Amino acid sequence: MKVLKANCFMLLLSDEGDNIYASDATDAARSLDAAFSPAISASIPWAAVLGNHDQESALSREGVMKHIVTLKHTLSQLNPAGIDLIDGYGNYNLEVHGVEGSGFENKSVLNLYFLDSGDYSKVPSISGYDWIKPSQQLWFQRTSLELQRAYMSKPEAQKAPAPGLVYFHIPLPEFTNVVDSSNYTGVKQETICSASVNSGFFTTLVEAGDVKAVFNGHDHVNDFCGEYTGIQLCYAGGFGYHAYGKAGWARRARVVVATLEKTDEVSWGPLKSIKTWKRLDDQNLSTIDVQVLWSNNTPGGT
């Protein structure tokens, strides 16, 4: 676990994994260095998860993540400290604490969960893509419960959990429910390529009670975001030029901004809102599809 402090926290999401593409990455380490160089050169803290293609070059999935955690300014972690048995690589959480000097400086007002959704099924009788395993779900449940207890305890005990955001590559099957409801912003231009089995992770997220949004990549020309059973399910949007896109459809990255509540002219409180939009790589660097993902003024807010 690592701790960040800010009164406004911005996340720029690209493809949520698939940091390198095997056919173009003969030197995996060098390609990873190049992929993250904009954030590194700008001294911006950054974090990464693995996609289903990252291991198809010269490094294994473990090797890719071990290289990522050595890079400058990264907040990425190989796996949770003290946890010996967990599937995948790059399962970790980050805590965003309140402003120094406020009553929330030692409390996490925003929790970020990162998981490895794997690549392809290792079960012979199950074809297709991989999924979040029971060991990862157990780690998430325990971590979420610990963070909720801390946030809802003195000092500055809160009545509801701090919001949580979850990041991994392969979309959950429940993304289909968002499309079926037509309650979303953005576009669906290709099949939702989830695992062929439902691991139950979405139910785990709903039961936890703190997660407000899930962000995935994988399907490069889907960029929609919509609510299902109290959780926003969002695609990051295809950003990199190393893989497929769609002619005439600008590459894009999803931006997520979390803002703290200002209690008076000089003091800051807990989280006020989480907003998102997409930034296009077009001539005007256009901003489109602004959405409020969560607000403490709406039911279920803190």
Side-chain angles (χ1 to χ4, degrees):
M1 178 274 295
K2 294 185 179 180
V3 173
L4 307 174
K5 294 191 177 184
N7 57 13
C8 184
F9 189 77
M10 178 178 288
L11 295 159
L12 178 66
L13 310 180
S14 56
D15 296 315
E16 287 303 288
D18 284 353
N19 305 287
I20 57 176
Y21 191 60
S23 63
D24 298 327
T26 55
D27 185 333
R30 185 176 179 181
S31 294
L32 288 165
D33 294 346
F36 299 118
S37 62
I40 293 171
S41 61
S43 300
I44 296 173
W46 57 276
V49 295
L50 298 179
N52 61 296
H53 291 297
D54 286 304
Q55 77 290 342
E56 294 173 358
S57 181
L59 293 176
S60 65
R61 296 181 72 77
E62 181 180 12
V64 169
M65 206 65 206
K66 281 185 173 180
H67 183 78
I68 286 173
V69 301
T70 67
L71 300 178
K72 290 183 178 180
H73 308 302
T74 189
L75 302 172
S76 308
Q77 299 169 45
L78 182 62
N79 267 329
I83 304 294
D84 295 325
L85 298 176
I86 188 168
D87 287 274
Y89 302 96
N91 302 289
Y92 58 101
N93 69 291
L94 298 175
E95 297 182 14
V96 182
H97 283 206
V99 174
E100 289 187 29
S102 74
F104 293 87
E105 68 174 323
N106 294 316
K107 283 184 177 288
S108 181
V109 298
L110 175 65
N111 297 308
L112 310 178
Y113 304 96
F114 302 82
L115 296 102
D116 180 5
S117 56
D119 50 9
Y120 304 96
S121 171
K122 306 301 188 295
V123 181
S125 60
I126 301 175
S127 61
Y129 293 108
D130 216 337
W131 55 89
I132 304 292
K133 304 298 195 305
S135 64
Q136 297 167 285
Q137 297 192 43
L138 180 60
W139 165 78
F140 164 78
Q141 288 174 311
R142 289 176 173 173
T143 303
S144 171
L145 183 59
E146 289 174 2
L147 291 167
Q148 291 187 47
R149 285 174 174 169
Y151 191 68
M152 298 169 71
S153 299
K154 295 180 179 179
E156 297 287 351
Q158 301 298 296
K159 296 180 180 179
L165 305 177
V166 182
Y167 304 87
F168 52 93
H169 183 67
I170 299 173
L172 296 168
E174 284 77 9
F175 271 67
T176 301
N177 296 82
V178 174
V179 173
D180 291 344
S181 71
S182 299
N183 181 28
Y184 61 88
T185 299
V187 296
K188 174 186 177 292
Q189 301 181 114
E190 64 177 306
T191 302
I192 297 170
C193 294
S194 304
S196 61
V197 295
N198 193 323
S199 70
F201 188 44
F202 182 77
T203 300
T204 297
L205 297 176
V206 174
E207 289 177 339
D210 62 332
V211 174
K212 306 306 177 187
V214 174
F215 301 95
N216 298 142
H218 197 48
D219 304 325
H220 299 196
V221 295
N222 290 341
D223 74 351
F224 67 83
C225 182
E227 182 269 336
Y228 178 64
T229 320
I231 296 179
Q232 301 282 348
L233 299 180
C234 304
Y235 275 105
F239 182 71
Y241 285 86
H242 61 294
Y244 75 89
K246 182 178 180 181
W249 194 69
R251 304 284 175 154
R252 60 204 58 212
R254 181 172 295 280
V255 179
V256 180
V257 173
T259 305
L260 294 181
E261 180 180 293
K262 197 162 188 180
T263 55
D264 55 47
E265 291 185 0
V266 295
S267 300
W268 297 89
L271 210 65
K272 177 182 179 181
S273 65
I274 303 172
K275 298 180 180 179
T276 186
W277 58 84
K278 284 161 290 191
R279 179 76 72 178
L280 307 188
D281 188 16
D282 61 9
Q283 186 174 1
N284 300 313
L285 297 177
S286 305
T287 294
I288 64 168
D289 294 344
V290 178
Q291 295 174 260
V292 176
L293 298 180
W294 174 86
S295 169
N296 62 5
N297 295 321
T298 58
T302 55

